[in-house]
Amino acid sequence: MTDAQLLLGQTLAFDADPFATPPEAAATWRRRGGVVVREGRIVAVGEADDLRRAHPRAQIHDHGEALISAGFVDAHVHYPQTAIIASWGKQLIDWLNSYTFPEEMRFGDARFAAETAARYLDLVLACGTTTVASFCTVHPESVDAFFSEARARGLRALAGKTCMDRNAPEGLLDSAQSAYDDSRRLLEKWHGKDRLSYVITPRFAPTSTPEQLEALGALWAEHPECPMQTHLSEQLPEIDWVRRLFPEARDYLDSYERFGLLGENALYGHAIHLTGRERARLREVGAALIHCPTSNSFIGSGLFDMAGLTAEGQRIGLATDTGGGSSFSMLRTMAAAYEIGQLRGSALHPAQLWWLATQGSARALRLEGCIGNLAPGMEADLVILDLASTPAIAQRAARAESFWEQLFPTIMMGDERAVRAVWVNGAPLVRGG
Ligand code: GUN
Ligand code: ZN
């Protein structure tokens, strides 16, 4: 058995859902805590002194006043959009046609795909994100590239080939049959290898024919162990378009459900403009809604109803939605979620924001038993954060009278300068490597 590693610092762990219990009671913060890691897993979390006594041979990594947390979990991204992040002036459909689709055309080139996947993963690791669920492009090469680069870094990662057989440029279209065949082959190749999960991925209802949605629904029925990810009710013109394309469907959600694309392992990005029926059905099934706040303001989509949806007991994750989202950082994403909450009249507590970016997103991905928290048995994906990383943050944190007040300036103003170290699968990443 290899020697244990003992990380010391402030620690933050969750014992409960801070939307279902008083937020501060849902978390355990230790001013001088520790995390013991051995063979890729967390084996103990507790007071620093107790852990030092219990693990006298452990190699010590003393992070002083810095905060040790579970690594961030980003539940909805498009890694192929890395190079078109922050593209100006368009709303959803025009943004897809002007920026996204031309960029995605390049991913038939395996070398280009590998280079982008590597750059993307290094960018998010620098932000403290240790798991992402990514859309790829229509090209199988884009999936192989992403999983190969994630595997080379020891990451837990989820991804799938984005299927489209209408309403996109010719070079990005597959067919109902090839979407099924390619997805199945990629699923068999990658799902469950090391820390990788394949996600069945129809892009969204407007870019799939009913035949393609049906084929992917059939694949999901054959592989219910895989998640299914897509987009739902992001912008009003998109919802009108779905109504015209699927006149028989009761609503947007029904354009998926009719084809077997609704289930407890479903991940719906955005989910802003939902009807009462859709909300009730999503709740009944236990599907996950993925909130993408920087994207929703950047593309002009609308204000996600976090307070209402959490009060109903919906399963909710948090995500950057890179490159519709304007940041790779889950700190910036938490800040945007706070701002959207404020615009709807409710202030999310820092414990709720942090939980969404870690355990909440892990729960949305149904990986809460593996990642997203500091607890014995969890995989050791960690981020260590300096809570005084810039002069502006430091001077505000110095006034704090509680841990949450100390944490909040890093949530609102922090970026990758706050990230002191990142551990993946029980080992520290070498900075810049
Ligand atoms: N809806 C369908 N495709 C996309 C995408 O790539 N980004 C966003 N934000 N919404 C989408
Ligand atoms: Zn998306």
Side-chain angles (χ1 to χ4, degrees):
M1 188 178 284
T2 56
D3 280 351
Q5 317 270 326
L6 171 55
L7 290 82
L8 301 175
Q10 300 192 61
T11 57
L12 178 59
F14 288 96
D15 313 303
D17 173 351
F19 290 96
T21 42
E24 297 187 14
T28 299
W29 164 70
R30 291 187 173 90
R31 180 186 300 283
R32 188 65 181 156
V35 180
V36 182
V37 171
R38 182 184 286 131
E39 289 171 354
R41 302 230 170 217
I42 296 172
V43 296
V45 180
E47 292 295 334
D49 290 344
D50 297 344
L51 293 174
R52 274 179 182 274
R53 269 193 298 278
H55 301 270
R57 288 159 49 91
Q59 185 184 352
I60 306 272
H61 304 259
D62 193 341
H63 291 286
E65 295 280 298
L67 175 68
I68 305 168
S69 163
F72 299 129
V73 179
D74 188 343
H76 179 120
V77 313
H78 299 253
Y79 94 81
Q81 297 170 15
T82 297
I84 57 132
I85 193 168
S87 289
W88 185 83
K90 306 284 182 197
Q91 298 222 339
L92 179 60
I93 306 303
D94 291 340
W95 176 83
L96 286 170
N97 287 319
S98 306
Y99 299 121
T100 307
F101 290 158
E103 180 67 9
E104 291 193 7
M105 298 271 248
R106 298 167 173 245
F107 284 74
D109 175 345
R111 275 184 48 189
F112 182 86
E115 188 275 323
T116 307
R119 183 153 32 89
Y120 170 77
L121 290 171
D122 290 340
L123 283 167
V124 300
L125 280 165
C127 295
T129 299
T130 48
T131 291
V132 303
S134 186
F135 288 64
C136 300
T137 67
V138 72
H139 314 95
E141 294 86 345
S142 72
V143 180
D144 288 335
F146 181 80
F147 279 138
S148 299
E149 294 296 330
R151 191 183 211 180
R153 289 162 180 74
L155 291 168
R156 182 166 280 290
L158 306 89
K161 172 192 131 78
T162 297
C163 301
M164 299 197 275
D165 67 344
R166 63 169 162 177
N167 295 322
E170 184 60 32
L172 286 182
L173 295 180
D174 51 13
S175 67
Q177 188 64 45
S178 73
Y180 175 91
D181 293 342
D182 288 347
S183 300
R184 195 175 77 165
R185 191 173 48 73
L186 289 163
L187 184 161
E188 287 167 355
K189 179 172 178 183
W190 291 108
H191 188 70
K193 294 276 153 59
D194 293 340
R195 305 180 75 202
L196 309 177
S197 301
Y198 190 81
V199 190
I200 295 166
T201 308
R203 181 179 214 113
F204 68 155
T207 48
S208 289
T209 59
E211 293 71 31
Q212 180 169 81
L213 295 177
E214 193 172 348
L216 293 173
L219 180 63
W220 199 23
E222 290 158 26
H223 291 281
E225 71 281 11
C226 290
M228 186 285 300
Q229 65 185 350
T230 189
H231 298 85
L232 176 66
S233 295
E234 181 177 359
Q235 281 204 350
L236 298 175
E238 170 210 12
I239 297 169
D240 279 344
W241 195 19
V242 171
R243 205 173 283 129
R244 292 196 299 279
L245 289 168
F246 295 89
E248 329 72 35
R250 284 169 291 184
D251 44 41
Y252 198 153
L253 184 65
D254 196 37
S255 73
Y256 296 127
E257 181 166 12
R258 314 167 62 77
F259 302 108
L261 293 170
L262 173 64
E264 62 174 19
N265 236 349
L267 306 164
Y268 296 107
H270 306 289
I272 301 168
H273 308 283
L274 299 173
T275 65
R277 193 204 78 85
E278 289 174 309
R279 289 167 75 131
R281 192 74 187 111
L282 288 161
R283 172 74 191 85
E284 188 174 52
V285 169
L289 311 182
I290 311 300
H291 179 33
C292 306
T294 70
S295 170
N296 297 163
S297 50
F298 183 77
I299 303 188
S301 301
L303 305 177
F304 184 84
D305 181 15
M306 182 66 79
L309 291 163
T310 51
E312 288 168 17
Q314 303 279 3
R315 185 178 290 265
I316 293 172
L318 187 66
T320 58
D321 189 32
T322 298
S326 55
S327 175
F328 295 98
S329 167
M330 290 299 281
L331 291 173
R332 173 72 197 106
T333 303
M334 283 184 251
Y338 179 80
E339 289 160 356
I340 287 184
Q342 284 286 58
L343 288 167
R344 291 198 65 122
S346 83
L348 291 172
H349 190 283
Q352 295 174 323
L353 294 165
W354 209 267
W355 182 86
L356 282 168
T358 53
Q359 187 66 170
S361 281
R363 181 166 159 265
L365 301 176
R366 296 196 176 260
L367 291 171
E368 69 271 31
C370 303
I371 56 168
N373 204 2
L374 299 185
M378 290 283 194
E379 297 168 6
D381 291 342
L382 308 170
V383 59
I384 294 99
L385 292 151
D386 178 357
L387 299 184
S389 60
T390 66
I393 294 172
Q395 61 89 38
R396 178 62 186 91
R399 284 281 187 89
E401 291 179 2
S402 71
F403 166 67
W404 301 111
E405 199 181 340
Q406 183 196 8
L407 182 62
F408 194 53
T410 288
I411 291 176
M412 293 309 300
M413 299 191 283
D415 56 29
E416 47 279 47
R417 287 171 289 179
V419 177
R420 245 202 212 174
V422 178
W423 285 49
V424 172
N425 210 19
L429 287 186
V430 180
R431 272 255 179 223

